[in-house]
Each structure stands twice: as C-alpha cells, then as structure tokens.
Amino acid sequence: MSDRRGKAQPKRPVLSPAFEALLALVREEQPALLEERLLGLREDSPELLRLARAHGLLSLLYLRLEEHGLEATLPTEAWRWLSSAHLTLAARQTRMVAAGLEVIQALGAAGIRCLPLKGLALIATAWPDYLPRDMVDLDLLVAPEQLAAARAVLEGMGFACHGEGFVGCPWTPHPLKAARGDLGVDVHTAPWGRSAMEPRPLSFEQAWCASRQGALLDEPITVPCQEDLILVLLGGMARDRFYTFLRAWADLRWLLETPSAGACPTTLAQRAASLAARRLVDIALRFAQELEGGEMRQAPVGAGTSSAYQRCRPILWRRLLLEGGIVMVPRSVLRFLARGPGTSRDLEAAALAWIREHPEAFRRGGWARTRLALLTGALAYAGRLLVSGQVRQAVREEWCLLRAVREP
C-alpha cells in the first residue's frame, strides 16, 4: 500500500452521527467510544434504528450493545423495539439455517455435491461464532450437470421449483428457484454471473477443489474457501454496481480481519489474478480500508489502482449513502460498452432469453428475432438517455466503475 503512505487523502463525505455510529459498530470500536457515540444519539435513536435496519445491521447492533452492557445508551422504548426486531430476525435465521442443513444433507444423500453460498456460507464458515443477519433465501451451488437431479430432490422435499427469469441469459448464475412456504432456495450453477464487472467464471470443480470444512448446527458440511467467499461477495457488489449496504462491507471486514476466518492475502491475490479480478479486489479493499479508518492488516492492495480508485471513490460513497433505490444501466448495455471476446455471443444469448420471456412480442421472424430484440432494446434505452438526466448520470458512473475494475 506504498502509494497511500505519506499522501494526503481526500476528505470523505460528511456523515450523519447515526451513520458514524453504524461505522463504529462495523469496525468494532472500543466500547467506551461506541458508548460515547450512542449517548450523543439518544434523541435521534429512531434514525439510528432506521439506518441499522436499512443496512442489515439490527441484530449486530443489538448483540454488540448487549455484549458491552450498553443497553441504556438507547431510550427504553428504542431498546425494546430493537430487542423485538432482533428476536424476530434470529428466529427466522434459525429456521433458515436448519432448512439449509436439511437441503444440503438431502442433496448429499442423493450423491449431489453442494456448496452453500453468500449468507449461509458465511454462517457455516464461522459456526458457531457467526455474524447475525437477516436472511432472505438460501443460496446453494451445484455442478451444472447435476441441476436436474437437484431439482428432483427439492421437489421430493415439497419445494415448488421453477426456472429463474431470463433462463439462459449469460449473466444469470442461478437458473433454478425453489420455494416451500416462505422458504426460498436459489440453486446456482456458478458462484457469480458473467456481467461486465464480475470476475471471469469460476467453475464448480474449481470451487469444490479449494473448499474446506464448516458446520451448520454443529453438523459438518463442505463450504467454499474464504478467498472464494470474498470473491463471491465482491462479485455481488460488482453485479449491483456497488449499490451495497454496510452489511456487505461488514462481511468483507470479517473475512479479512477475523483470525478464525483465515483468508490469506496471497492466496486471494493469486485467485483474483487467475479470474481477472485483481482490479475489482483492489478497488473494493481500498474502500473497505477507508470505511475502517485505516489500513487493514490482511488487506494489502497494489499500487496500480490508486488513480482509478480516486475516480471511483465519490461514486462508491454516493451509492453507499443513497437511499430509495438506484437507476442502473442494463447489463446488456454494460456488456456492449465493455466489448472484448464473446460480446456478440452474450448479447444474442441475452436477447434470446428476453424473447423467451416475451413470446407474444416475437412470434415470427426466425433467427432475425434476436436482432429485432436487440434493436428494440437499444432504441428504447436511447430514448431514456435522451429524456432522463438520472439515466445519463448512471451511464457516466457505471462507465467509470467498469473502466476501473475491468482488466484486459
């Protein structure tokens, strides 16, 4: 990180006291400092709780306050609300973990190798000392050739299965979705998709060969290595164009800084290099260090992305602080801007997937349907560019991000 030392860093945006308190929570400031911040927020506790909920940190806030005996830093009613919210989230998480173990064991009994991804993988990696989280669904990775067999197992367990929208689209990594009541399962055949900002594909076999042992409910299961978990996390950030909440940055910090996580910087750098993701990793780690308030001991970054990071930095801050959704550039447009080998193939595959979703619009035309779909989409987007300043700003920002993270 030699290019950072001794140089004045640009000032970060002015943050609200509530957001500063959440940052202190994520970087695990000393209890006395955290207490001082929270006491200064007593009159603004609704804003703190609102932001904690928006950024997926309610349970983490509750547990840290309870751990350090800081319950009284919140007004009584605020603490009661937080306690109730945490218990609700914890109960759902417990059900999700139990269901995840059930599905993984059922797949294993049928001879189907399976790896948990995202939140379930982080829980299994850290078990039993995992970071609490609000889980929406379960993400599981299987080999593409075992997708049909996995679907049969899930249906035998009472899940209703259906294909994900845009099946066959090159940037969709989970072609199968399943649901049983309010429990959702996304079955992936790749750890991340193939949109323009994501790393090059990592095969199931590559992920399996690097895997290690974790546990759910004290039962051993196989989980991705920590370096692959970091790349899955960063791939998701890139897919979302860094419209990312503090929850994700807290996960990244945990994977890098917690001794039990054990992510190796050298191995991470080698894995990233093999997947053309070095610049993505460097940009994300630089921003993570800024959120941390200093260099993280396990997150060295190269010198080559310093200027690119400074161009991206205002965008990363704006998207972290933005509330109420974001205008995103369509992934097909980004793929076109990125160019490179396979561009035409990917765009045609995306057009074919769109046609399958809208059969009434393209009943005729044969092979020309894909060209017509591409032309229709291009004209519609050009019209949006002409009339919307928000769309133009999104293109400028995401073009900057694309140039920063994409490698030749």
Side-chain angles (χ1 to χ4, degrees):
M1 199 66 202
S2 58
D3 59 316
R4 287 175 56 100
R5 294 189 182 113
K7 292 186 179 181
Q9 297 302 309
K11 292 183 179 180
R12 71 181 188 184
V14 176
L15 305 177
S16 70
F19 202 94
E20 289 280 14
L22 289 184
L23 276 180
L25 180 76
V26 167
R27 59 184 175 234
E28 300 184 70
E29 282 191 0
Q30 292 296 320
L33 295 176
L34 183 59
E35 180 179 19
E36 182 179 346
R37 291 184 185 276
L38 293 171
L39 286 174
L41 281 169
R42 281 186 63 84
E43 300 304 317
D44 203 18
S45 57
E47 174 64 6
L48 174 66
L49 297 179
R50 187 192 68 80
L51 277 177
R53 183 176 186 175
H55 285 271
L57 296 173
L58 279 177
S59 282
L60 186 61
L61 175 61
Y62 172 86
L63 291 176
R64 291 276 159 81
L65 296 186
E66 185 183 53
E67 175 188 359
H68 299 308
L70 298 178
E71 299 93 331
T73 58
L74 293 182
T76 302
E77 285 304 313
W79 174 252
R80 287 176 180 168
W81 185 91
L82 179 60
S83 301
S84 176
H86 165 70
L87 289 175
T88 300
L89 293 175
R92 175 169 174 78
Q93 181 176 262
T94 299
R95 292 195 303 271
M96 297 283 282
V97 168
L101 178 61
E102 176 193 10
V103 172
I104 290 170
Q105 289 180 332
L107 292 173
I112 301 170
R113 295 177 299 170
C114 170
L115 292 171
L117 293 176
K118 302 183 182 179
L120 189 63
L122 289 170
I123 290 173
T125 296
W127 188 269
D129 300 318
Y130 56 87
L131 288 176
R133 64 186 59 252
D134 181 14
M135 299 181 67
V136 177
D137 50 28
L138 302 172
D139 293 276
L140 302 173
L141 176 67
V142 302
E145 63 272 14
Q146 292 192 306
L147 182 64
R151 176 171 187 154
V153 170
L154 288 167
E155 289 176 338
M157 298 175 69
F159 284 88
C161 297
H162 59 89
E164 174 68 287
F166 285 5
V167 174
C169 191
W171 27 80
T172 299
H174 40 82
L176 177 64
K177 296 180 77 71
R180 188 177 66 189
D182 64 349
L183 173 64
V185 176
D186 281 357
V187 182
H188 296 240
T189 52
W192 50 77
R194 282 174 45 210
S195 61
M197 292 192 196
E198 292 176 88
R200 287 177 183 165
L202 179 74
S203 71
F204 176 86
E205 291 300 329
Q206 288 173 304
W208 184 266
C209 289
S211 63
R212 60 183 293 274
Q213 183 171 295
L216 289 174
L217 302 178
D218 295 331
E219 294 291 330
I221 66 167
T222 305
V223 299
C225 67
Q226 289 87 338
E227 295 77 25
D228 284 351
L229 288 178
I230 290 174
L231 289 169
V232 169
L233 181 61
L234 298 187
M237 290 183 181
R239 177 201 64 221
D240 296 334
R241 273 47 75 79
F242 290 95
Y243 180 49
T244 304
F245 302 119
L246 274 177
R247 166 81 271 168
W249 296 105
D251 289 337
L252 179 59
R253 181 189 185 279
W254 180 85
L255 282 165
L256 288 166
E257 293 290 277
T258 305
S260 60
C264 173
T266 302
T267 304
L268 175 61
Q270 293 171 345
R271 193 67 146 179
S274 70
L275 300 168
R278 292 169 298 182
R279 296 175 68 174
L280 170 62
V281 170
D282 274 7
I283 294 292
L285 294 190
R286 286 177 185 275
F287 192 62
Q289 289 181 149
E290 187 166 348
L291 294 176
E292 179 75 4
E295 293 187 11
M296 295 188 290
R297 64 179 183 276
Q298 295 284 36
V301 298
T305 55
S306 179
S307 59
Y309 174 68
Q310 294 308 325
R311 292 192 297 271
C312 291
R313 181 178 174 274
I315 302 170
L316 298 177
W317 272 113
R318 184 158 54 249
R319 296 192 172 204
L320 177 63
L321 299 173
L322 187 64
E323 297 186 42
I326 185 173
V327 174
M328 282 193 180
V329 178
R331 284 176 283 187
S332 55
V333 173
L334 275 185
R335 186 67 182 92
F336 175 78
L337 292 174
R339 310 298 291 179
T343 299
S344 296
R345 181 197 62 228
D346 282 353
L347 292 178
E348 288 194 11
L352 283 169
W354 191 86
I355 288 169
R356 283 192 290 270
E357 294 295 313
H358 303 83
E360 295 301 322
F362 294 92
R363 279 196 179 278
R364 300 176 183 178
W367 66 269
R369 291 180 304 169
T370 58
R371 306 303 193 278
L372 182 58
L374 286 169
L375 178 61
T376 301
L379 290 174
Y381 194 71
R384 293 181 62 198
L385 279 172
L386 287 173
V387 302
S388 173
Q390 284 186 318
V391 173
R392 291 194 295 272
Q393 181 183 9
V395 171
R396 289 193 296 270
E397 290 186 350
E398 293 183 23
W399 175 236
C400 178
L401 292 171
L402 178 65
R403 287 184 298 164
V405 305
R406 189 163 177 90
E407 299 184 17

